[in-house]
Amino acid sequence: MIVGVGIDVVDVARFLATVERVPALRERLFTPEERDLAPASLAARFAAKEAIAKALGAPAGMSWQDATVRRVRGQQPVVEVRGTVAAAAAAARVTRFHLSLSHDAGIASAMVVAERD
């Protein structure tokens, strides 16, 4: 059963300008393994985290560090949650996330479906 759907779109250049202007954002928004990704991939990860929050109903108090997007070449991206995001997912009885990422023409986007058994 679908619990929620979230989508987000990010202007890559604008996002990177903000991260360069406020370097602490990179550490606040991304896990260590995400921080050194290419600009478009980093923007897509940010869009994914926004989409995850929207799919969960945007509850207050979630930490960006508590969601990681893993990508293995040739496979679909995977959402891993812990801490505050895992708690929000458990409260909504979400058992899995489905994620689609895209980036083209200076835009990064993410779409998330939160599902429960």
Side-chain angles (χ1 to χ4, degrees), residues 12-107:
V12 175
R14 183 174 164 209
F15 174 75
L16 289 178
T18 301
V19 170
E20 288 174 4
R21 191 174 63 252
V22 185
L25 278 178
R26 190 178 292 261
E27 290 184 13
R28 193 175 104 206
L29 298 174
F30 301 104
T31 61
E33 70 184 74
E34 295 171 321
R35 290 180 193 147
D36 294 325
L37 293 170
S41 293
L42 200 63
R45 294 313 187 276
F46 177 72
K49 292 176 187 221
E50 284 278 345
I52 291 165
K54 291 173 183 176
L56 291 172
M62 289 195 311
S63 170
W64 297 104
Q65 292 287 322
D66 288 342
T68 301
V69 175
R70 295 193 194 282
R71 181 87 172 129
V72 176
R73 186 176 293 287
Q75 296 179 17
Q76 293 180 320
V78 175
V79 174
E80 293 180 358
V81 298
R82 65 196 154 279
T84 58
V85 179
R93 298 186 316 172
V94 171
T95 55
R96 73 185 134 280
F97 292 96
H98 304 275
L99 169 64
S100 178
L101 300 172
S102 184
H103 43 79
D104 189 29
I107 300 293

